[in-house]
Amino acid sequence: MMKQSSSKEPRDIREKRLRMRSMRRGTKEMDIILEGFVAMSLSNFDNGTLDEYEALLDENDQDLYQWISGQTDIPSQHTKVINLIKTYLHHKRG
């Protein structure tokens, strides 16, 4: 279930909160991946994509890593954001 953020939270505060959550995941691999991803992408997200990204941050790092690396299927509610992360990583490596 996707959590809706408070409509009273200013966009800049929400972005700062999501950046912090992205950098302090628990595993170094996900910290590195998500920190770079949000630095390049977060400010371009519409509110719906921000909601989807925030819901993704509620998942555990092991699942996130397996979805991003293609080891397991991506749950439908996370497909859009995981594919954005994969695209970011592909261009970063390219």
Side-chain angles (χ1 to χ4, degrees), residues 34-88:
L34 295 180
E35 182 177 5
F37 172 69
V38 298
M40 296 293 292
S41 307
L42 200 64
S43 62
N44 297 320
F45 287 175
D46 61 25
N47 287 333
T49 306
L50 278 179
D51 290 342
E52 292 176 36
Y53 183 69
E54 187 164 6
L56 183 77
L57 292 178
D58 290 335
E59 302 289 351
N60 72 58
D61 282 2
Q62 291 76 20
D63 289 337
L64 289 175
Y65 189 79
Q66 289 182 344
W67 298 331
I68 291 167
S69 65
Q71 295 175 36
T72 58
D73 292 337
I74 305 166
S76 60
Q77 71 270 25
H78 297 312
T79 301
K80 177 181 177 180
V81 176
I82 292 293
N83 284 332
L84 290 171
I85 295 168
K86 286 179 165 187
T87 299
Y88 157 76

